[in-house]
């Protein structure tokens, strides 16, 4: 099979949550275990860090991978969903899995896949684990998909677990309270494996404490050890814009770190990232302070991460972000309000199987809205989104294609205006400039 034929097989022959939603979601690890057994249990052949959470797990995974790369470790990275290319999901030292590896996996496993009928995600996890094992990575950073306990990645026995935060997302699958969702995410906690909680939340603390006790797992609430204070942006020598943070440790010492991820919400991810780096050092990995700082300053360069407060243009300022739930958008809106601007344009597209009202209720009524939709089966039609937005006092126009919408906004905006593009990962994925 050619690479395109292999992709066609993966997308068309197997259920894929990214495209079809609920029918692809299963609370069962049987298929993944059978796939791994057929492949020689590759998940047992490499060390790993397992990351779950509602928001921030992707950024945290890329940040830790970047730090480990700077420290000289051959580092695997598995994340989802992808934005531009399927191969973004599986990387070693920032390099995407080669097309030939994807073709070989499909060619060799095609008949078994047709018989087993795993989900797209189950198959992709198995492909990643097989690739990491064969390439003998020193360590792999593995991001869960939607949940935790029944997520396909949860066949791992990692050296460290990180849970970033808990929010109300995918409630139809994971539960309709923070406590229920935390219970699902806590399912990644393993016997005697240290677990770091990146963001302390009153509603979920007891859930994690109970899960850790049951597994005899050392539990670390990162915010008890470090406080992160945003200090604004700075221009690096190579003209790269970096976000500065002051780190205050429990013993009173302070130091500064810079990240090339510019979203203010990274301040909530940093405690977990920093404590994970500290814990890895305690476990025998060697990460110097200089390597930590370099890794955090070069996340995008080292890993190829896109779509997190990604600046597309500066005059007018055009920013996109993959945030797609209420917790994520609260922080996005706060940052938009802090940026100096005259008029605010919001180019917005969403999926059908989310509670759009929770996000729409947060959005500023004075903004100029352009409603769009991704070319994707789960997308909410732009006209339907416009009608729903009107119920919240949000007015605008419909331009279905996101790139046409961006061109329209830039044509009408002044150089001191601000344009934001988001609402759905799929909308951001279709931006040509990304």
């Amino acid at each position: 099979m050619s690479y395109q034929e292999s992709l066609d097989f993966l997308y068309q022959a197997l259920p894929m949550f990214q495209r079809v939603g609920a029918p692809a979601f299963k609370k069962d690890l049987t298929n993944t275990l059978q796939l791994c057994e057929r492949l020689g249990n590759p998940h047992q052949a490499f060390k790993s860090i397992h990351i779950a959470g509602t928001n921030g797990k992707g950024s945290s995974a890329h940040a830790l991978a970047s730090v480990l790369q700077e420290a000289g470790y051959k580092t695997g990275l598995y994340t989802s969903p992808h934005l531009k290319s399927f191969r973004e999901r599986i990387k070693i030292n920032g390099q995407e899995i080669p097309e030939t590896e994807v073709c070989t996996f499909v060619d060799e496993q095609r008949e078994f896949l047709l018989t087993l009928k795993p989900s797209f995600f189950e198959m992709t996890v198995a492909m990643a684990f097989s690739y990491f094992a064969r390439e003998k990575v020193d360590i792999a950073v593995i991001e869960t998909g939607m949940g935790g306990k029944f997520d396909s990645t949860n066949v791992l026995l990692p050296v460290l677990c990180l849970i970033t935060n808990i929010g109300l997302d995918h409630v139809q699958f994971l539960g309709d309270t923070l406590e229920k969702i935390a219970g699902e995410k806590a399912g990644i906690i393993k016997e005697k494996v240290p677990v770091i909680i990146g963001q302390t939340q009153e509603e979920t603390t007891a859930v994690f404490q109970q899960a850790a006790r049951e597994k005899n797992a050392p539990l670390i609430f990162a915010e008890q050890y470090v406080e992160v204070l945003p200090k604004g942006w700075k221009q690096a020598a190579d003209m790269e814009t970096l976000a500065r943070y002051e780190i205050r440790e429990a013993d009173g010492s302070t130091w500064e770190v810079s990240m090339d991820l510019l979203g203010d919400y990274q301040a909530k991810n940093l405690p977990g990232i920093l404590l994970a780096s500290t814990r890895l050092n305690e476990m025998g990995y060697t990460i110097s302070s200089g390597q930590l700082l370099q890794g955090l300053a070069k996340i995008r360069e080292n890993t190829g991460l896109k779509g997190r407060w990604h600046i597309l243009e500066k005059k007018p300022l055009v920013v996109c972000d993959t945030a797609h739930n209420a917790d994520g958008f609260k922080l996005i809106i706060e940052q938009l309000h802090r940026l100096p601007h005259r008029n605010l344009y919001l180019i917005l597209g969403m999926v059908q199987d989310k509670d759009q009202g929770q996000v729409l209720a947060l959005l500023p009524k004075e903004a100029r809205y352009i409603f769009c939709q991704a070319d994707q089966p789960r997308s909410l039609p732009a006209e339907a989104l416009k009608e729903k937005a009107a119920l919240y006092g949000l007015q605008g126009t419909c331009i279905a294609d996101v790139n046409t919408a961006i061109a329209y906004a830039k044509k009408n905006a002044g150089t001191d205006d601000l344009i934001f593009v988001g609402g759905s990962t799929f909308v951001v994925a279709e931006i040509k400039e990304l």
Side-chain angles (χ1 to χ4, degrees):
M1 279 188 176
S2 68
Y3 176 65
Q4 188 57 52
E5 288 170 336
S6 297
L7 288 187
D8 290 344
F9 172 80
L10 301 179
Y11 290 143
Q12 295 172 17
L14 303 172
M16 179 183 181
F17 180 83
Q18 189 170 340
R19 293 184 61 81
V20 302
F25 181 68
K26 293 184 292 185
K27 288 194 169 186
D28 191 333
L29 296 178
T30 303
N31 281 352
T32 306
L33 289 168
Q34 288 187 32
L35 269 168
C36 285
E37 184 177 359
R38 176 178 171 83
L39 294 166
N41 291 316
H43 60 298
Q44 299 173 2
F46 55 87
K47 305 292 186 183
S48 62
I49 301 167
H50 202 192
I51 303 180
T54 301
N55 293 310
K57 62 184 186 292
S59 295
S60 298
H62 283 82
L64 283 172
S66 179
V67 168
L68 286 162
Q69 286 173 227
E70 287 291 328
Y73 293 100
K74 186 175 184 179
T75 306
L77 177 63
Y78 176 78
T79 58
S80 63
H82 62 267
L83 287 179
K84 295 293 187 180
S85 162
F86 167 82
R87 295 164 53 227
E88 292 170 28
R89 294 169 177 256
I90 306 169
K91 298 177 182 177
I92 296 177
N93 285 355
Q95 300 300 308
E96 297 176 1
I97 183 173
E99 292 183 1
T100 53
E101 290 284 343
V102 178
C103 295
T104 299
F105 180 88
V106 173
D107 284 341
E108 292 180 350
Q109 307 305 327
R110 185 174 183 275
E111 294 305 316
F112 183 74
L113 295 172
L114 288 170
T115 301
L116 185 64
K117 294 182 171 57
S119 72
F120 175 89
F121 192 77
E122 289 166 338
M123 180 280 311
T124 308
V125 166
M127 183 190 297
F129 291 174
S130 177
Y131 180 56
F132 294 156
R134 193 166 57 257
E135 290 296 315
K136 295 181 172 58
V137 297
D138 296 317
I139 192 165
V141 183
I142 308 295
E143 177 196 8
T144 62
M146 183 197 311
K149 182 178 181 180
F150 295 106
D151 189 84
S152 298
T153 61
N154 204 32
V155 298
L156 290 168
L157 181 59
V159 299
L160 181 67
C161 295
L162 169 62
I163 300 175
T164 55
N165 87 327
I166 304 298
L168 292 173
D169 199 8
H170 301 298
V171 294
Q172 68 270 49
F173 307 109
L174 305 180
D176 56 3
T177 67
L178 295 181
E179 292 87 346
K180 290 178 182 176
I181 295 172
E184 288 290 326
K185 307 287 186 183
I188 72 166
I189 299 175
K190 302 295 192 306
E191 188 73 26
K192 297 182 179 179
V193 175
V195 56
I196 295 169
I197 308 301
Q199 189 177 336
T200 304
Q201 297 165 269
E202 182 180 352
E203 301 91 335
T204 62
T205 295
V207 177
F208 294 134
Q209 289 172 332
Q210 177 64 24
R213 276 195 301 270
E214 291 174 357
K215 297 292 186 180
N216 300 301
L219 180 64
I220 304 163
F221 288 93
E223 290 177 330
Q224 294 179 3
Y225 292 86
V226 294
E227 182 183 6
V228 175
L229 301 175
K231 304 291 286 184
W233 292 352
K234 72 174 182 181
Q235 204 81 35
D238 60 359
M239 300 306 290
E240 175 76 50
T241 302
L242 299 173
R244 296 167 51 237
Y245 298 93
E246 181 180 297
I247 310 301
R248 294 183 181 175
E249 301 199 34
D251 63 5
S253 61
T254 63
W255 49 292
E256 188 173 293
V257 64
S258 298
M259 297 180 78
D260 61 349
L261 305 183
L262 302 179
D264 285 355
Y265 51 80
Q266 298 299 343
K268 295 187 178 295
N269 296 329
L270 260 176
I273 295 166
L274 295 175
L275 263 291
S277 300
T278 298
R279 187 68 190 192
L280 287 169
N281 267 326
E282 293 170 353
M283 296 166 64
Y285 292 86
T286 304
I287 303 170
S288 70
S289 57
Q291 290 163 342
L292 173 65
L293 294 175
Q294 274 289 93
L296 293 176
K298 296 169 60 178
I299 297 168
R300 288 172 57 183
E301 178 183 337
N302 285 345
T303 69
L305 178 63
K306 300 175 182 177
R308 271 54 163 207
W309 199 266
H310 198 117
I311 295 176
L312 301 169
E313 194 169 313
K314 293 189 175 179
K315 287 187 178 294
L317 184 60
V318 184
V319 179
C320 69
D321 196 280
T322 55
H324 55 271
N325 56 41
D327 285 346
F329 256 91
K330 284 177 187 174
L331 299 173
I332 291 291
I333 296 303
E334 289 173 8
Q335 188 163 359
L336 289 173
H337 282 319
R338 280 195 296 272
L339 286 173
H341 62 272
R342 185 170 60 94
N343 296 309
L344 173 62
Y345 290 80
L346 284 180
I347 300 172
L348 203 64
M350 296 184 173
V351 295
Q352 299 180 48
D353 52 9
K354 292 285 184 77
D355 184 355
Q356 302 92 9
Q358 283 195 339
V359 170
L360 295 172
L362 300 171
L363 302 182
K365 293 180 174 57
E366 70 275 9
R368 304 180 181 190
Y369 288 88
I370 305 171
F371 302 104
C372 66
Q373 68 188 75
D375 183 17
Q376 213 268 357
R378 287 173 60 206
S379 294
L380 183 67
E383 288 288 349
L385 180 56
K386 179 183 176 182
E387 292 175 10
K388 181 158 266 191
L391 300 176
Y392 296 84
L394 311 178
Q395 303 296 326
T397 188
C398 284
I399 300 177
D401 176 70
V402 65
N403 293 293
T404 306
I406 293 171
Y408 173 85
K410 286 164 60 175
K411 181 179 179 181
N412 287 275
T415 56
D416 54 354
D417 289 342
L418 173 58
I419 301 170
F420 176 81
V421 190
S424 164
T425 300
F426 309 122
V427 165
V428 174
E430 293 183 4
I431 298 174
K432 289 179 181 176
E433 289 86 354
L434 193 64

